Structures are given as structure tokens and as C-alpha cells.
Amino acid sequence: INNFIHTLYNLADGFFVARGVGSVEFAATSFVSPVIMFFNALGRGIAVAGTAILSQLVGASKYEEANKYTSQLLVISLLFSICFTIIGYWLSPIIIGWMGAGEDLAYYSNLYLRICFLGFPFIFVFFVFNSILASQGYTMVSTTLSAISALANIVLDPIFIYIFKWGLRGAAIATVLSQFILVIGGIYVVR
């Protein structure tokens, strides 16, 4: 359910962009979706490994080791996400070119993808929080936080796209801001 909820970011962006911005901009949200999913899968991979190890440590009542491992997992996730953000931001035009986009589609895909890359540190950190909660058996908490974040994106999309008139840029900013909200919620719950 949690993974399904994370797909709602792009679905909501595509829905609102298609309704009021344009078909090329809508195509851009769909076009770059595999790139976003690829990097999210890397973050989830780190989190899955983290969940397995944390679960074993918590199950064995090795709480001090679990705390140390959680800190290491958080640092590793942050480092990877920052590297992916920087590399992805600068290589975005090349990636889109490799995928075969031309002219307007390339321009809008690059615009949307670059902003989405800026949200990777937030989403990677949440994946760590998700590992912490799952290792203790609190899977519904992370799912609830994800649902709140997806709803925030659904509310922010029309505000940024139509009211602020930011168009496709507004959809991407709404996604990043809702991911930031997700991390703030995760910090509140995990502490």
C-alpha cells in the first residue's frame, strides 16, 4: 500500500497538469516517471536492507546496536540521495536526450525532472524512517504518513499550478514540498 501511495505523486501531477497546463507538459510528467522510479527504487533498496538488519537487532533486544545502525543507515541514505540529486540535476538533459525526447518534450521533461531530483533527500530519509518503523512493527504509521503526504500533494498541485500560475514547475514543487512534509511527519513520529 505504501509503494502504491508513492505512485500517487506522479499521478496527481499528471492529472492536474493535463487539466490546465498542456499536453506536452503532461507528457513530460509521464516521460520522466521511469527515471524517478529508478532512483526511488535505489532508495527503497537501502531501506529494505535497513529493515532486515534493524528487525534482527530489535528482535534480539540489541537496542544500542540498533541505534548505531540507524544512524549509519541515515547517513548512508543522505549521502546517496545528495549524490543522486547533484548528479541527476546536472545530467538530467543528457538522460532525457538518451531517452529520445526532442524540443518541447525535452525542455519540459528537464524542467520537471530537475525539480523532482531536489526532493530525493527527503524521500530517501523517509525510507529510513520507514525502516525504523517497520522494524518495530509500526507499518501502518509510515503508510499513514505517506497518505498524508500524497493528500498534501493533491491539495498543493492545483494551488501551485492554477492559482500561483507556476504550471508544470508548480506540480514538481508541490511534489517536493509534500515529500518535505513527509519527512517532518517522520521526524515527529520517530523521535
Side-chain angles (χ1 to χ4, degrees), residues 99-187:
M99 294 172 65
E103 299 180 15
D104 286 345
L105 180 59
Y107 171 78
Y108 290 116
S109 295
N110 186 46
L111 173 73
Y112 183 76
L113 185 58
R114 277 188 160 178
I115 295 171
C116 286
F117 269 122
L118 298 176
F120 281 4
F122 303 132
I123 202 72
F124 275 48
V125 167
F126 176 73
F127 289 152
V128 173
F129 293 155
N130 192 28
S131 291
I132 294 167
L133 294 169
S135 69
Q136 297 175 39
Y138 299 117
T139 55
M140 280 305 296
V141 175
S142 62
T143 302
T144 303
L145 287 172
S146 293
I148 291 168
S149 175
L151 287 173
N153 187 49
I154 291 168
V155 169
L156 292 173
D157 266 343
I159 293 170
F160 290 170
I161 293 169
Y162 308 134
I163 296 173
F164 292 171
K165 300 194 184 309
W166 290 348
L168 182 64
R169 182 178 285 117
I173 292 170
T175 297
V176 171
L177 187 57
S178 63
Q179 291 168 343
F180 175 72
I181 291 168
L182 184 65
V183 168
I184 296 301
I187 290 170

Side-chain angles (χ1 to χ4, degrees), residues 51-116:
T51 302
I53 295 170
L54 281 174
S55 295
Q56 291 174 357
L57 293 172
V58 170
S61 299
K62 296 180 180 179
Y63 301 117
E64 188 173 319
E65 287 181 52
N67 284 336
K68 288 179 187 176
Y69 181 74
T70 300
S71 298
Q72 293 170 355
L73 183 62
L74 184 59
V75 169
I76 289 169
S77 289
L78 270 173
L79 288 175
F80 273 103
S81 67
I82 291 168
C83 288
F84 291 153
T85 297
I86 293 168
I87 292 168
Y89 186 88
W90 292 110
L91 292 181
S92 178
I94 295 168
I95 294 168
I96 291 167
W98 285 342
M99 294 172 65
E103 299 180 15
D104 286 345
L105 180 59
Y107 171 78
Y108 290 116
S109 295
N110 186 46
L111 173 73
Y112 183 76
L113 185 58
R114 277 188 160 178
I115 295 171
C116 286

